[in-house]
Amino acid sequence: MSHRQIRVCVPEGWARVSPGWLTDSFKWDQKTFPTQGDGAVAHSLYKMIFLTALPLFWIMISASRGGHWGAWMPSSISAFEGTCVSIPCRFDFPDELRPAVVHGVWYFNSPYPKNYPPVVFKSRTQVVHESFQGRSRLLGDLGLRNCTLLLSNLSPELGGKYYFRGDLGGYNQYTFSEHSVLDIINTPNIVVPPEVVAGTEVEVSCMVPDNCPELHPELSWLGHDGLGEPTVLGRLREDEGTWVQVSLLHFVPTREANGHRLGCQASFPNTTLQFEGYASLDVKCEPDPPVIVDVNSSVEAIEGSHVSLLCGADSNPPPLLTWMRDGTVLREAVAESLSLELEEVTPAEDGVYACLAENAYGQDNRTVGLSVMYAPWKPTVNGTVVAVEGETVSILCSTQSNPDPILTIFKEKQILATVIYENELQLELPAVTPEDDGEYWCVAENQYGQRATAFNLSVEFAPVILLESHCAAARDTVQCLCVVKSNPEPTVAFELPSRNVTVNETEREFVYSERSGLLLTSILTLRGQAQAPPRVICTSSNLYGTKSLELPFQGAHRLMWAKIGPVGAVVAFAILIAIVCYITQTRRKKNVTESPSFSAGDNPPVLFSSDFRISGAPEKYESERRLGSERRLLGLRGEPPELDLSYSHSDLGKRPTKDSYTLTEELAEYAEIRVK
């Protein structure tokens, strides 16, 4: 295989300024580019060489003309850490100065001596900053206007700006504004085309600086198995300029190579220095429409929790992913996956969410349902209901929850209606009565909580005068009580034989009313009454009707006791007690006199009789009872025995009297007779 050598021709004056620069100015190392085959590869590399070298040619040509102060050096240069670097430099000054000796100084990070910048190199004294001791030396000949600087054993702190100052003696000193920026690196640069398409050949390059004349890197590829062998390995060298070494790798990627990690290694022979760089292949397929490959299934979440919905799609080019709900865009981005974050979800966020993926070649979509679980809301009812007795009343109680609740309507802790897993409950009362009036509760509950609402049903009806209404006397006062049940509140009037009383107070009567719920209690007080009126009528009315009732008079005899007074009552009671005692003694004597004689025997029988009542004449009752006892005794003996009465005891005071009119004979609780 033959090899090609590149030469560049310049004007004749160049040889005088820089003899030997143009002889084999750009040479290819042996083992480099073939001249046949791989024409496209060689063309690409040649183009890169000329683009790199042409700026330097212009610097050299300009420097050869002289006549003014000026300096030429690369604006930036790079080298690996631990190696060395040669910074190419040319300078010029006016021809009329003709110095005997030319000196120079290299400064670090500042061109002005008055700022006392670190001295990198100084030709007059060889005194340098401690950071550059043993690391810097001049490669160029200052007399030939060559200020090339060599830095060895590079470390990161040496990276920065380098300035050159020419010293021709006396006042002929000049610090050039041109400078070179040194970059200390430790990874090779892998260049991958911006678009890698499956099935289309691609070229990947690895470029490293080669600016150390003492150490030259060698390049090798890492992780290229299955991609093919490197087809071109080139080393570019530029005399007294920058060095670049390039390695090219050609292959046809497949879809499976997407994400493949490709590496390049730069090593320096006879040293332990090795530097590696990596790049991931982003292989695009032929254009295709998006396909959603990852999306949540239906999600259940408790109110207040955090929910994350994820959607992923595969397409080329990447799709525009959009999360939507009810036609509203919630989030969108050009990406392969997109998540929708919902913080502290509420029932309002319950529903169906859609993920839409689209590009220029088509679209795809998926839906996911979100179910937010929460406790029932406070039930709502159709307000306070007012109905007329006999009407049909319909009460609707509704709420909202997830899952659906158990709804129940109570009245005074009694269940009237209930439904399971329904949001509405209707209570039907076909013909309401006053008993339906009152407070009701609608209660909704599920496993997440319970809520309740109270409401009232007001039943309106005509007045009803209760049977507990009556009149009663106390001393010289008569009170009449009229209790009316009604809704709305009725008017109440007391009708006496001579007049009607509806006013609150007069000289002799007083009417007082008090309402409690549906009951209205009215009291008529008549003062100075020696006897009860013949009749008292209570009349009650409202817009639904009128009701009247003659009030019964209770305890008419009490008027008499009221006239007698306390002292008379005591005297009468004492007389009554004396009469009772007299009757009792008389009965005892009579019983002893009329009792037959019995003779005592061995083991006399004992007869008990208790709880008898005297309903007729005492004498007759006693005779019949005694005769029956005798017959029973005779029947036991077989013949009439002769028994003597040992004792007879009758206790008539065991039961208390209920009132002053109770007969003495009715007080006997039991009688006990023992026979010996």
Side-chain angles (χ1 to χ4, degrees):
M1 181 181 293
S2 61
H3 293 78
R4 179 178 298 173
Q5 190 176 68
I6 302 174
R7 296 180 184 273
V8 179
C9 296
V10 296
E12 182 180 354
W14 177 258
R16 179 180 62 80
V17 177
S18 180
W21 275 34
L22 298 180
T23 305
D24 294 335
S25 200
F26 291 91
K27 295 183 180 178
W28 298 104
D29 190 16
Q30 303 298 319
K31 314 182 205 175
T32 58
F33 302 101
T35 57
Q36 297 180 354
D38 299 329
V41 175
H43 176 75
S44 299
L45 193 55
Y46 297 160
K47 182 178 180 181
M48 180 179 62
I49 293 171
F50 278 105
L51 291 176
T52 304
L54 282 176
L56 186 60
F57 293 161
W58 177 251
I59 292 174
M60 293 177 179
I61 294 172
S62 299
S64 66
R65 296 176 181 176
H68 63 276
W69 291 99
W72 299 265
M73 63 187 72
S75 60
S76 63
I77 190 170
S78 59
F80 282 105
E81 181 180 357
T83 64
C84 66
V85 64
S86 174
I87 303 177
C89 174
R90 296 287 298 172
F91 71 100
D92 199 5
F93 51 85
D95 294 336
E96 62 269 16
L97 295 180
R98 301 182 182 277
V101 179
V102 180
H103 290 282
V105 182
W106 278 93
Y107 291 122
F108 181 65
N109 277 341
S110 177
Y112 304 110
K114 63 180 180 180
N115 293 337
Y116 301 101
V119 177
V120 179
F121 174 82
K122 191 172 186 180
S123 62
R124 282 186 181 274
T125 62
Q126 302 297 321
V127 176
V128 298
H129 189 268
E130 60 182 4
S131 299
F132 296 94
Q133 289 181 359
R135 291 184 171 184
S136 63
R137 63 188 176 94
L138 199 64
L139 292 182
D141 185 351
L142 295 178
L144 297 177
R145 307 182 187 189
N146 188 333
C147 50
T148 301
L149 177 69
L150 177 67
L151 298 176
S152 303
N153 193 20
L154 297 176
S155 56
E157 66 270 14
L158 299 185
K161 299 177 181 179
Y162 288 83
Y163 296 86
F164 179 71
R165 179 180 176 83
D167 183 3
L168 307 183
Y171 294 102
N172 296 320
Q173 298 181 16
Y174 189 86
T175 300
F176 301 99
S177 61
E178 292 82 358
H179 61 277
S180 184
V181 178
L182 174 61
D183 184 21
I184 309 298
I185 65 173
N186 52 25
T187 57
N189 181 29
I190 300 178
V191 180
V192 180
E195 185 176 66
V196 179
V197 180
T200 303
E201 186 180 34
V202 65
E203 177 185 279
V204 180
S205 63
C206 176
M207 302 179 65
V208 298
D210 191 6
N211 296 315
C212 179
E214 301 172 357
L215 296 173
H216 298 286
E218 293 183 355
L219 299 180
S220 60
W221 289 93
L222 305 174
H224 68 287
D225 297 340
L227 300 179
E229 295 296 327
T231 57
V232 176
L233 179 63
R235 181 183 181 196
L236 173 65
R237 183 181 67 191
E238 179 183 313
D239 289 345
E240 293 187 308
T242 58
W243 296 65
V244 178
Q245 198 170 125
V246 181
S247 180
L248 304 178
L249 180 64
H250 287 257
F251 61 93
V252 177
T254 62
R255 185 170 184 174
E256 289 72 19
N258 183 44
H260 184 81
R261 200 161 181 246
L262 188 63
C264 178
Q265 183 185 77
S267 59
F268 294 85
N270 302 322
T271 68
T272 59
L273 298 175
Q274 284 187 346
F275 303 93
E276 296 179 356
Y278 292 90
S280 295
L281 298 178
D282 184 14
V283 180
K284 305 298 183 183
C285 301
E286 292 295 331
D288 55 5
V291 176
I292 295 179
V293 295
D294 186 18
V295 69
N296 296 80
S297 57
S298 295
V299 178
E300 286 188 358
I302 300 175
E303 182 180 10
S305 63
H306 173 267
V307 174
S308 179
L309 303 179
L310 179 65
C311 178
D314 185 14
S315 70
N316 182 35
L320 172 64
L321 291 177
T322 306
W323 275 107
M324 304 178 66
R325 178 171 180 259
D326 297 333
T328 302
V329 176
L330 304 178
R331 190 184 179 195
E332 64 179 2
V334 177
E336 293 183 352
S337 64
L338 183 66
S339 64
L340 178 63
E341 305 295 332
L342 302 176
E343 302 290 343
E344 298 182 355
V345 292
T346 64
E349 294 173 293
D350 187 288
V352 177
Y353 292 76
C355 175
L356 177 65
E358 59 181 338
N359 63 10
Y361 302 96
Q363 66 176 16
D364 191 15
N365 65 81
R366 293 288 187 276
T367 59
V368 55
L370 173 61
S371 180
V372 180
M373 318 301 286
Y374 57 97
W377 293 356
K378 186 178 179 64
T380 58
V381 295
N382 51 358
T384 300
V385 180
V386 178
V388 179
E389 182 180 12
E391 290 182 346
T392 299
V393 173
S394 177
I395 299 173
L396 179 65
C397 174
S398 61
T399 186
Q400 185 173 335
S401 70
N402 191 13
D404 290 335
I406 299 175
L407 276 173
T408 307
I409 295 180
F410 293 88
K411 182 177 186 290
E412 297 176 354
K413 298 183 180 180
Q414 180 181 359
I415 297 176
L416 302 180
T418 185
V419 291
I420 299 177
Y421 305 137
E422 296 287 345
N423 285 325
E424 291 185 352
L425 172 60
Q426 190 161 355
L427 175 65
E428 293 284 348
L429 300 175
V432 293
T433 64
E435 286 70 24
D436 295 321
D437 189 286
E439 184 181 56
Y440 292 73
W441 284 90
C442 179
V443 180
E445 62 180 330
N446 62 12
Q447 61 264 45
Y448 298 102
Q450 180 188 81
R451 298 295 298 274
T453 297
F455 62 95
N456 291 315
L457 171 61
S458 179
V459 179
E460 296 185 344
F461 54 94
V464 176
I465 301 178
L466 304 185
L467 296 179
E468 58 195 71
S469 303
H470 67 280
C471 290
R475 294 180 179 271
D476 59 348
T477 301
V478 175
Q479 285 189 335
C480 294
L481 178 69
C482 184
V483 182
V484 181
K485 186 175 183 181
S486 172
N487 189 23
E489 183 176 348
T491 60
V492 176
F494 291 90
E495 181 181 339
L496 301 177
S498 58
R499 64 190 182 281
N500 295 336
V501 179
T502 58
V503 296
N504 287 337
E505 186 175 2
T506 64
E507 293 181 356
R508 298 185 58 190
E509 52 270 338
F510 171 78
V511 177
Y512 168 77
S513 295
E514 182 182 60
R515 184 173 178 84
S516 176
L518 299 177
L519 296 180
L520 177 65
T521 303
S522 298
I523 301 175
L524 171 66
T525 303
L526 302 175
R527 298 183 181 89
Q529 295 289 324
Q531 59 183 0
R535 65 174 185 168
V536 177
I537 298 175
C538 176
T539 301
S540 177
S541 62
N542 64 9
L543 58 91
Y544 296 105
T546 301
K547 185 70 175 180
S548 297
L549 177 68
E550 182 177 345
L551 303 180
F553 201 94
Q554 297 180 356
H557 61 279
R558 293 182 182 177
L559 282 176
M560 180 185 68
W561 290 111
K563 298 296 286 183
I564 294 175
V567 177
V570 171
V571 173
F573 189 68
I575 295 173
L576 180 62
I577 293 176
I579 295 173
V580 171
C581 292
Y582 174 78
I583 294 174
T584 302
Q585 293 296 330
T586 303
R587 287 181 60 191
R588 287 181 179 178
K589 291 179 180 180
K590 186 175 182 179
N591 288 339
V592 172
T593 303
E594 294 179 357
S595 297
S597 298
F598 294 93
S599 60
D602 302 334
N603 303 322
V606 180
L607 179 65
F608 297 91
S609 176
S610 62
D611 293 335
F612 64 89
R613 295 282 181 178
I614 302 175
S615 58
E619 296 81 5
K620 181 179 180 180
Y621 180 83
E622 288 294 328
S623 300
E624 293 176 355
R625 183 184 64 81
R626 184 168 58 251
L627 180 60
S629 299
E630 291 175 354
R631 289 176 179 174
R632 286 194 293 272
L633 290 173
L634 291 174
L636 292 173
R637 294 282 187 173
E639 58 182 356
E642 294 181 1
L643 300 177
D644 294 331
L645 179 63
S646 178
Y647 71 89
S648 175
H649 174 71
S650 177
D651 189 354
L652 304 178
K654 290 293 183 177
R655 300 184 62 169
T657 60
K658 292 185 178 181
D659 52 53
S660 58
Y661 297 98
T662 303
L663 295 177
T664 304
E665 289 80 3
E666 296 177 358
L667 297 176
E669 181 180 2
Y670 67 90
E672 181 181 39
I673 300 176
R674 292 190 180 184
V675 181
K676 293 185 179 180

